[in-house]
Amino acid sequence: MRSEFQRPRGTQDILPPASYRMEQIRRIAIDTAAKFGYDLIETPIFEQTPVFLRVGESTDIVQHERYSFTDAGGVDLTLRPEGTAAIARAYVEHGMFNQPQPVRMCYYGPMFRRERPQALRYRQHTQFGAELYGSSQPEADAEIILLACDVVEQVGLKNPLIRLNSIGCSQCRPSYRKSLIEYYQGRHQELCEDCQTRIHTNPLRLLDCKIDVEIRQQAPDIQDYWCEDCRAHYQQLTTLLTEAGRQVIRDPFLVRGLDYYTRTVFEIGHPSLGNQTALFGGGRYDGLATTLDGPEVTPAVGFGMGIERILSAVEENFPLPLKRSVYVAHLPGFEDAAFVLAENLRQQGFSAESDLLHRSLKAQLRDANRRSTVVVIVGGKEWEQGQVAVKRLGESEQLTIHQDQLSEFLRQELTPNP
Ligand SMILES: [Zn+2]
Ligand SMILES: [Zn+2]
């Protein structure tokens, strides 16, 4: 039996060094977004439940995987399962549609879904996402996709793969939907249990069933149903991405899980993961803000990337920032002097630590070897004469320098080579 004093099922404690990798990815993602002109926005980790109900009523996430609760004031709240709905809510609530368009935003933070625990599916996971509001042009879709690719490259996965599709618009999708339902009705008996329900609730998702892959091969292809505008949009988007030097594949089975997509849907993968494995995805959702009482026409396009997934794909190749710090060791009786020197160095901007356990010099040096770049040894007659012994990590040679010159020495030792 699981102890009630263990972390909740499906969650993780992110310990060092993984925690530093996470932090670095966060910085890379936000900086890359800034390069494209996207501003960071932070929304609460919970919203009033209707925000999510309105945008994703028929999805598994909203139906079965919600963490919802009623607070002491009787308000129905939900921990956010994804970022897009909350950003749409904020866009409408702050009247951002009155600002000069487009509005470019990015977000980073934890998301919550009560998923069945399995590899890389956490009930709390971290997402970075970007949203572009106010342009219905294919250039907007292209920019979002290029930003997504750039983040992936910046964390070390060169030449990402874009799988692309258009699921049409309110003009052309209904007739496709009709044909799709007819086709699947004809093979109703062969469908898996989920798909027998999906055919009524979310027929497009029949195409991304992992079980009925054989049946979809003969299903009608949406590109034969695209209206002229959808076709032109898709073609221009492909042209822009190709001209920008990106590799694009059309995937007729790519539909994405959420109801609110219009036209563009995409997934970003990497050749090292195989052609069918996605790292994350996104798309266009022109109707989303409108369902949250936004203006009649609110074009929007974006993506959300699970950081744990990205991290698992790059882990081996992702360098940790080099730790450059000072360990202030002491000879017996010089604990105070070492403690104060460490603080002194920190005040000068160095990263410094001291023993705190009254250990022998030998034990301190062993510890220092694990944790620091330079060791300073305090005590003995050197100390009385205004000197300290210093040692570089991994070198046995010990230097004696004057205390006045310690800062200058450390500055040279700890500054990364250009
Ligand atoms: Zn259309
Ligand atoms: Zn199925």
Side-chain angles (χ1 to χ4, degrees):
M1 208 180 80
R2 259 180 96 82
S3 157
E4 62 194 55
F5 299 126
Q6 284 180 318
R7 62 183 190 276
R9 235 180 136 201
T11 64
Q12 55 174 348
D13 298 314
I14 303 167
L15 306 176
S19 52
Y20 289 101
R21 290 204 178 92
M22 289 284 279
E23 184 53 29
Q24 219 175 337
I25 288 189
R26 180 185 137 91
R27 218 166 299 156
I28 289 170
I30 293 171
D31 288 352
T32 306
K35 197 168 78 178
F36 282 74
Y38 289 67
D39 288 320
L40 183 63
I41 156 167
E42 301 213 18
T43 61
I45 62 166
F46 53 89
E47 295 279 342
Q48 299 196 66
T49 300
V51 171
F52 300 117
L53 285 184
R54 181 63 72 86
V55 298
E57 196 134 34
S58 70
T59 63
D60 289 350
I61 298 171
V62 169
Q63 281 189 340
H64 310 297
E65 299 175 353
R66 249 186 314 139
Y67 276 108
S68 294
F69 60 101
T70 308
D71 76 1
V75 181
D76 186 5
L77 299 168
T78 294
L79 297 183
R80 61 183 182 194
E82 48 97 23
T84 298
I87 300 290
R89 192 269 306 142
Y91 178 82
V92 173
E93 186 168 338
H94 298 284
M96 291 187 218
F97 43 82
N98 291 321
Q99 295 173 8
Q101 306 293 308
V103 176
R104 296 178 169 97
M105 297 171 276
C106 69
Y107 59 88
Y108 188 103
M111 307 291 160
F112 305 86
R113 297 177 188 176
R114 200 180 180 289
E115 299 197 82
R116 231 176 318 119
Q118 48 178 308
L120 291 176
R121 297 253 179 202
Y122 298 107
R123 289 178 173 183
Q124 175 180 334
H125 75 282
T126 312
Q127 248 185 56
F128 167 73
E131 309 279 346
L132 188 151
Y133 274 82
S135 169
S136 54
Q137 297 299 328
E139 282 79 359
D141 310 51
E143 181 179 284
I144 275 286
I145 293 173
L146 291 176
L147 166 56
C149 289
D150 200 3
V151 175
V152 169
E153 289 208 314
Q154 296 296 329
V155 302
L157 295 167
K158 298 294 172 200
N159 303 314
L161 205 62
I162 304 161
R163 285 188 304 119
L164 194 61
N165 194 17
S166 169
I167 56 168
C169 65
S170 56
Q171 297 294 307
C172 56
R173 201 188 310 157
S175 63
Y176 175 66
R177 217 178 126 105
K178 200 163 151 264
S179 306
L180 195 65
I181 293 173
E182 274 168 19
Y183 170 77
Y184 274 95
Q185 286 289 16
R187 306 188 60 167
H188 196 268
Q189 299 303 321
E190 304 164 57
L191 295 176
C192 78
E193 209 177 315
D194 285 343
C195 284
Q196 298 200 352
T197 314
R198 270 181 205 134
I199 206 167
H200 305 292
T201 55
N202 200 344
L204 256 64
R205 294 225 48 200
L206 292 162
L207 292 171
D208 71 1
C209 177
K210 298 283 174 283
I211 302 164
D212 301 316
V213 283
E214 206 55 58
I215 302 176
R216 73 184 188 187
Q217 298 301 333
Q218 274 81 47
D221 184 339
I222 193 160
Q223 74 172 340
D224 302 326
Y225 294 76
W226 287 340
C227 66
E228 227 162 280
D229 286 349
C230 283
R231 185 172 304 281
H233 188 98
Y234 181 84
Q235 277 166 353
Q236 174 62 1
L237 174 55
T238 321
T239 304
L240 289 167
L241 291 171
T242 312
E243 284 179 357
R246 292 297 178 190
Q247 234 185 312
V248 184
I249 297 173
R250 174 161 186 267
D251 182 347
F253 306 123
L254 179 59
V255 290
R256 304 286 298 160
L258 300 170
D259 292 350
Y260 47 68
Y261 285 97
T262 47
R263 287 192 178 149
T264 307
V265 287
F266 65 88
E267 283 184 350
I268 306 293
H270 192 261
S272 67
L273 304 166
N275 268 359
Q276 285 307 307
T277 311
L279 285 165
F280 62 94
R284 176 170 280 284
Y285 17 83
D286 294 345
L288 176 63
T290 310
T291 66
L292 298 171
D293 297 339
E296 198 64 53
V297 181
T298 318
V301 56
F303 67 84
M305 106 178 19
I307 298 300
E308 287 81 0
R309 180 83 186 80
I310 296 283
L311 200 57
S312 80
V314 296
E315 196 124 44
E316 306 300 306
N317 313 315
F318 197 68
L320 279 170
L322 256 184
K323 210 173 153 188
R324 297 175 182 280
S325 66
V326 188
Y327 191 100
V328 185
H330 61 83
L331 292 171
F334 290 85
E335 288 82 1
D336 290 9
F339 183 85
V340 172
L341 179 58
E343 171 61 6
N344 206 327
L345 292 171
R346 288 190 291 265
Q347 292 296 328
Q348 296 177 55
F350 295 107
S351 163
E353 49 190 284
S354 58
D355 163 53
L356 310 187
L357 289 169
H358 291 208
R359 278 177 295 195
S360 70
L361 183 61
K362 198 173 158 201
Q364 291 178 65
L365 292 181
R366 208 178 311 126
D367 194 24
N369 256 323
R370 267 204 313 269
R371 305 181 62 84
S372 301
T373 327
V374 177
V375 191
V376 176
I377 302 166
V378 167
K381 64 175 188 304
E382 284 98 336
W383 184 254
E384 310 298 342
Q385 292 166 358
Q387 294 177 323
V388 286
V390 293
K391 231 164 89 72
R392 298 185 182 100
L393 180 72
E395 289 181 10
S396 51
E397 193 193 351
Q398 195 166 299
L399 311 167
T400 305
I401 61 171
H402 207 270
Q403 284 171 26
D404 295 344
Q405 288 154 4
L406 181 60
S407 304
E408 189 44 41
F409 173 83
L410 291 176
R411 219 168 300 272
Q412 283 180 13
E413 287 299 310
L414 301 178
T415 306
N417 297 324

